[in-house]
Amino acid sequence: MRRSLISSSRALSHATSLVAQGLPEARLTSQVTRCAVEAVDADFAAVFLQEEPGQGPSATRPMWRLAGHSDGDQELLAALPRSYGQGGGILAPLFQSARDLHENDLLNGAPEGAPLPVQLPVRSIVGVSIRRPNSRPIGVLLVCSRGSNAFDDQALDTVRSLAQLIGLGIENARLAAGQQRDRRMAAESAVTLGTVLESVGSGVSVVELDGTMRIVNKTLQDTFGLTGRMTGRRQVDVFANASVQVREADTFQQRLRELSADPSQVDESEWELATDPPRIVQRYSAPMRSVLGEVVGRVEVYTDITESRRLYTQLLNSEKLRAIGEMASGVAHDFNNLLASIVGQTELLHPDELPPGTRQAIATIRQAALDGARMVRNLQGLARPRAETPSTAADLNETVQLALEMARPRWAGSALTGNGPIDVSVNLADPAGLMRVSIDPAELREVLLNLLFNAADAMPEGGSIRVSTRPGRKPGTADLEVRDTGHGMPESVRLRIFEPFFSTKGPKGSGLGLAVAYSIITRRGGAIEVDSQPGDGTVFTITLPYAPLPSATGASSTQPPPTTAGTTAESPGGSVGATETPVASAAQQAATRAASSAAVKGARILVVDDEPGLVAIVRQLMERSGAIVSVANGGRAALDTLLVPNAQFDIVITDLDMPDVDGWTVASEVKTHRPNTRVVMLTGWAGEIAPDDFKSRGVDVVLAKPCSRAELESAISSLLAPKPVPGFDVLLVDDEPAFARAVRELLTLQGHRVTLVDSGDNALQAIDAQRFDVVLTDYSLGEMTGAQLADRLADREAVPFVVLVTGYATEIDDPSLLTRGVNAVLPKPCRGDDLRQVLARVPSL
């Protein structure tokens, strides 16, 4: 008995020591079960713990798992279940009701050595519940012996004491594990937060109540150029030493102090950084609160909104441009009517009967009216894409000289306005090495005048302007350079000078001059570049492609040919002078005009417009050309005239925008009742409507107001001229239906017989079935390219003349595309003149 008490005391003391050590749950249960075996002289002890609620197969039925056991007999250990659910036999009260179990002899007095139960090979059992300090059962301590009557009441008390120690130890172990888990999660959260802060695109800082910075991410450091130690320092000091400062630094610092004094404020503000180009950051500062709702600091987020602000400004400008486009479209018609009257009146004068001074004055008036019409069209083109840009050519040197002469009063009177003198020098390339460039001369003059005026404005104290021309660095181009010695511009300004409405001139500037210039040059396939540094002046370089050469079949017309098949002729080219025309001698111009006048003579023409003055002018111009002219003041009068019995007209010239009955209706009625009568639309809306719309509504030729007598004669003569004799048999290969139809109609109007296919394979089949003189093929045709088609045709006995028509070409006869079998190259889109020029090279049949 004494030994039993000593063993129990020693075991309890050891178990208490184990609990005090704060061992993990698994080690604690294993070692305390050994103490239990020692304390009551048992053969085996085990601890079963209840699964946490909701973790077992069913949250409503408790499950017990074997958590630890003493190093007992292997046979007993093998027979001991690893878990208990419902049932449990003799152990059921212990596991299901948490009642203590004390069985002295499971064999009911059988002699020693009798076979033990198979399910649990023991005779004596003591089982007690393991409870948490709040008395909730969480486990079972089970002590077993192979002998009968092995445990008395004292042993039961000892086991109960051990169970209490186990409950306390498990509670401590779980608390320690929870704390460790919380610490680990806190550390992981800190790492995750750090990773997130370094990954976000905005600058983030956490500031304590006293203004000390606790967290600063890398984006914030990069945004403001923060270096050195930042955490633990006052926020105002950190930003004061930043390498990238806010432009309003004093206001920025004052606002930081206000937020530090009252950290409960929410601040949303924008600040411009003193960078070049400037950047804009948006700050959002909000109080940081504890779980109790107390303000413990502030969180600040700095977001770079430079790009979003630029996009917003661009959207705003696009809306302004749309408004300008609508305004320009609205006034264009009426304004062009006025200009048409001015041009028409100058046409009605007889220059040969006037003194030279008067003739010069008339030419100046006429030139100003035509330039005014061009400016209106450029404003329309700035706000929306042009439906069609006429193909004209300008002599670069002549245009420069004329623009300088027009701008001379600007700097000639600089001394009168208190400004310094401006010296202008010109360095023009040898005309022999400089072809005409592909741009309307009036447009180029407008661009050059803008650059010259800007250069003069940049030199209020005087300076020099140098204008030079030269062959371009890129083959097939020419360069025009305007260099000044003005104050220059920083990079932030240089990047924005072509933006609409951006101006550095204050109220004097509209911000449209360079935007229009950029629109004109790029629309013509050119480029405009600017190089400038503050204090070092500015250099504008304009690069323009050379204009296509005149047709080999004859000299170019003195004005752009009137366009058919729904295209638009905007440029009043031939009436402005030598600078406005393609290459043509005076004799050629005179011959062309004489031929046009002869074709118009005797033509029966109906002129329709709601402006009586314009009707009278067009009537007089056409009567001078020998036409028989009738007039109709408005669309309603035109319909009445057309419905008169036996009324016969060769040409109807009509305005578009007329009250009651518009030009569309007039054109439709003409084609319905007089299908052989041709329709010329003379309108200020020429650049606003797609060419296909004109064609689909019965319009044969479109002329933009104001137009000259020469243009009218050319348009009418082209419509009344006899059809050309049948030309070539042409195979057109293109898989773009709209483009193919347009080219087919152009070729048909030129007298050629056209067969249209959409692939290289179909082209080979057509050539096998029929002989063709010319093959016009696109490059991109799917499985077989146009170049491959040409290569295969080169091996045939009767080789057609192959023309590659492609958007990949940068110039006519682009060397990079002149491969085997290709005789000529045309860039897309091509014009009727381009086709004439190339087909003129086809060998005679």
Side-chain angles (χ1 to χ4, degrees):
M1 185 69 174
R2 177 176 176 79
R3 181 179 179 279
S4 177
L5 289 174
I6 294 174
S7 298
S8 298
S9 177
R10 185 186 301 116
L12 288 171
S13 177
H14 187 202
T16 303
S17 175
L18 293 173
V19 172
Q21 292 178 27
L23 296 177
E25 186 176 307
R27 289 184 59 193
L28 176 68
T29 54
S30 296
Q31 296 193 31
V32 172
T33 54
R34 295 192 189 100
C35 293
V37 169
E38 178 186 351
V40 296
D41 195 20
D43 293 318
F44 184 80
V47 172
F48 288 85
L49 295 179
Q50 188 175 352
E51 295 281 359
E52 291 294 329
Q55 292 185 356
S58 174
T60 62
R61 293 184 296 174
M63 292 295 297
W64 306 81
R65 62 179 175 82
L66 180 61
H69 58 82
S70 64
D71 297 329
D73 185 270
Q74 293 299 319
E75 179 187 0
L76 179 58
L77 180 61
L80 190 70
R82 296 301 177 184
S83 63
Y84 278 103
Q86 287 185 333
I90 194 171
L91 302 177
L94 178 63
F95 284 103
Q96 304 303 328
S97 305
R99 291 183 296 174
D100 291 348
L101 174 66
H102 185 188
E103 288 289 341
N104 285 325
D105 190 358
L106 295 180
L107 299 181
N108 296 321
E112 294 295 334
L116 298 174
V118 177
Q119 296 84 356
L120 188 61
V122 297
R123 293 188 70 163
S124 299
I125 298 176
V126 169
V128 297
S129 295
I130 299 173
R131 299 178 182 272
R132 297 183 63 179
N134 61 3
S135 297
R136 185 173 72 84
I138 60 172
V140 169
L141 173 59
L142 189 65
V143 180
C144 307
S145 176
R146 292 182 182 274
S148 60
N149 300 310
F151 308 120
D152 55 13
D153 291 341
Q154 181 183 349
L156 182 59
D157 291 339
T158 301
V159 172
R160 286 174 178 159
S161 297
L162 287 171
Q164 290 179 355
L165 288 172
I166 294 173
L168 180 61
I170 290 176
E171 180 72 12
N172 292 339
R174 290 182 176 178
L175 287 175
Q179 291 173 353
Q180 185 177 4
R181 183 172 60 253
D182 291 342
R183 286 194 297 271
R184 185 179 67 254
M185 292 179 62
E188 292 175 353
S189 297
V191 172
T192 302
L193 176 61
T195 303
V196 171
L197 289 179
E198 296 304 324
S199 302
V200 297
S202 299
V204 180
S205 66
V206 176
V207 185
E208 296 181 351
L209 290 177
D210 60 356
T212 301
M213 301 188 79
R214 189 199 314 171
I215 296 176
V216 180
N217 75 339
K218 188 176 184 305
T219 304
L220 184 63
Q221 298 174 37
D222 295 340
T223 300
F224 288 91
L226 305 177
T227 57
R229 186 174 65 87
M230 285 152 281
T231 57
R233 297 176 56 196
R234 295 178 67 246
Q235 184 185 33
V236 290
D237 296 334
V238 171
F239 280 106
N241 295 321
S243 59
V244 178
Q245 289 289 329
V246 177
R247 290 197 184 276
E248 299 179 3
D250 293 340
T251 306
F252 181 78
Q253 291 281 3
Q254 179 61 31
R255 185 57 181 154
L256 291 180
R257 295 188 187 94
E258 293 174 357
L259 293 174
S260 181
D262 184 6
S264 62
Q265 295 184 61
V266 174
D267 177 69
E268 292 185 75
S269 53
E270 294 179 4
W271 304 92
E272 183 177 308
L273 302 183
T275 57
D276 189 12
R279 289 182 293 135
I280 302 174
V281 294
Q282 182 183 65
R283 177 175 65 196
Y284 177 79
S285 178
M288 182 173 61
R289 300 180 183 274
S290 67
V291 293
L292 300 178
E294 298 175 344
V295 177
V296 295
R298 284 184 296 108
V299 176
E300 295 187 342
V301 180
Y302 292 84
T303 304
D304 190 326
I305 61 170
T306 306
E307 181 64 15
S308 60
R309 181 56 52 84
R310 185 189 67 81
L311 293 175
Y312 172 76
T313 304
Q314 186 177 15
L315 176 62
L316 188 63
N317 286 337
S318 67
E319 289 299 313
K320 293 180 181 178
L321 285 176
R322 184 182 60 80
I324 283 185
E326 292 177 355
M327 178 193 69
S329 298
V331 303
H333 181 264
D334 294 337
F335 188 64
N336 283 330
N337 278 341
L338 297 175
L339 296 175
S341 296
I342 296 172
V343 173
Q345 292 295 343
T346 60
E347 290 276 350
L348 292 174
L349 297 174
H350 296 277
D352 296 340
E353 301 174 2
L354 300 172
T358 304
R359 291 202 299 270
Q360 181 63 34
I362 293 173
T364 302
I365 293 171
R366 195 165 183 278
Q367 180 68 67
L370 295 173
D371 284 354
R374 173 66 60 187
M375 290 179 183
V376 171
R377 283 192 287 274
N378 285 337
L379 279 176
Q380 293 172 311
L382 176 67
R384 65 192 66 181
R386 302 283 298 213
E388 177 79 9
T389 51
S391 230
T392 56
D395 185 298
L396 197 56
N397 289 348
E398 289 183 6
T399 305
V400 168
Q401 291 171 334
L402 181 57
L404 288 171
E405 188 63 30
M406 295 175 69
R408 190 174 303 280
R410 181 66 174 268
W411 49 75
S414 59
L416 299 177
T417 59
N419 295 332
I422 296 177
D423 176 61
V424 181
S425 59
V426 182
N427 181 22
L428 302 181
D430 183 358
L434 201 66
M435 295 174 58
R436 288 175 173 259
V437 290
S438 183
I439 190 173
D440 186 86
E443 290 183 328
L444 183 56
R445 269 202 315 274
E446 181 181 349
V447 172
L448 189 52
L449 286 173
N450 262 311
L451 299 184
L452 293 172
F453 291 162
N454 285 342
D457 290 338
M459 299 183 293
E461 298 178 358
S464 63
I465 300 175
R466 180 180 178 83
V467 183
S468 58
T469 60
R470 59 176 180 267
R473 290 166 292 183
K474 181 180 178 182
T477 65
D479 287 348
L480 168 61
E481 182 181 280
V482 179
R483 181 185 297 269
D484 67 62
T485 59
H487 49 62
M489 65 185 83
E491 182 70 6
S492 57
V493 174
R494 189 191 71 82
L495 292 175
R496 299 187 59 193
I497 57 172
F498 296 120
E499 292 182 10
F501 309 107
F502 177 76
S503 175
T504 59
K505 299 180 183 179
K508 296 192 303 179
S510 65
L512 286 175
L514 288 177
V516 171
Y518 180 85
S519 174
I520 291 172
I521 297 300
T522 54
R523 194 170 68 241
R524 295 297 183 174
I528 179 169
E529 300 176 352
V530 57
D531 183 21
S532 183
Q533 294 291 335
D536 290 340
T538 301
V539 180
F540 281 91
T541 304
I542 298 173
T543 301
L544 288 166
Y546 286 141
L549 293 172
S551 170
T553 58
S556 299
S557 172
T558 56
Q559 63 273 330
T563 56
T564 59
T567 56
T568 309
E570 291 182 287
S571 174
S575 59
V576 181
T579 307
E580 313 292 87
T581 64
V583 182
S585 65
Q588 291 170 335
Q589 296 178 25
T592 301
R593 181 160 185 175
S596 298
S597 297
V600 175
K601 187 174 183 179
R604 295 163 296 181
I605 299 175
L606 174 63
V607 180
V608 185
D609 203 303
D610 61 326
E611 294 285 340
L614 285 178
V615 171
I617 290 173
V618 175
R619 178 177 187 173
Q620 293 179 65
L621 291 176
M622 292 296 93
E623 286 179 343
R624 285 191 179 183
S625 299
I628 302 170
V629 184
S630 301
V631 299
N633 292 313
R636 178 66 61 189
L639 297 183
D640 294 340
T641 303
L642 290 169
L643 294 176
V644 171
N646 300 322
Q648 296 292 331
F649 297 101
D650 301 307
I651 301 289
V652 173
I653 303 174
T654 179
D655 187 19
L656 174 58
D657 188 14
M658 297 180 292
D660 298 331
V661 176
D662 58 20
W664 298 128
T665 304
V666 173
S668 176
E669 289 297 317
V670 168
K671 293 303 182 181
T672 300
H673 300 286
R674 303 283 190 271
N676 294 326
T677 300
R678 313 307 293 269
V679 177
V680 176
M681 186 76 78
L682 180 59
T683 175
W685 300 93
E688 296 293 294
I689 301 172
D692 287 344
D693 288 344
F694 285 110
K695 176 177 170 40
S696 64
R697 298 189 182 210
V699 178
D700 297 290
V701 173
V702 183
L703 294 176
K705 290 181 179 179
C707 74
S708 64
R709 173 184 171 185
E711 282 186 286
L712 283 169
E713 289 178 345
S714 176
I716 294 171
S717 65
S718 68
L719 294 175
L720 297 180
K723 297 301 178 186
V725 294
F728 298 120
D729 288 309
V730 180
L731 177 62
L732 178 59
V733 189
D734 201 300
D735 56 0
E736 296 181 22
F739 178 78
R741 288 195 300 270
V743 174
R744 180 176 61 186
E745 290 170 0
L746 287 173
L747 291 172
T748 302
L749 287 172
Q750 294 176 14
H752 304 294
R753 297 170 295 278
V754 183
T755 300
L756 177 61
V757 296
D758 60 0
S759 69
D761 291 334
N762 291 339
L764 292 175
Q765 294 177 13
I767 292 172
D768 289 337
Q770 177 185 345
R771 181 182 180 278
F772 290 96
D773 306 306
V774 180
V775 174
L776 269 73
T777 176
D778 187 21
Y779 185 92
S780 301
L781 293 174
E783 296 182 356
M784 181 188 303
T785 67
Q788 292 171 332
L789 174 62
D791 185 74
R792 295 181 62 173
L793 293 178
D795 295 326
R796 292 177 174 258
E797 181 176 351
V799 182
F801 188 90
V802 179
V803 182
L804 198 61
V805 186
T806 173
Y808 293 117
T810 58
E811 56 186 327
I812 291 182
D813 290 340
D814 190 334
S816 65
L817 297 171
L818 278 171
T819 57
R820 181 174 182 262
V822 177
N823 301 103
V825 176
L826 277 181
K828 277 187 178 181
C830 60
R831 303 169 296 119
D833 278 350
D834 297 330
L835 293 169
R836 289 191 185 94
Q837 175 184 339
V838 168
L839 295 183
R841 294 154 53 184
V842 178
S844 300
L845 301 178

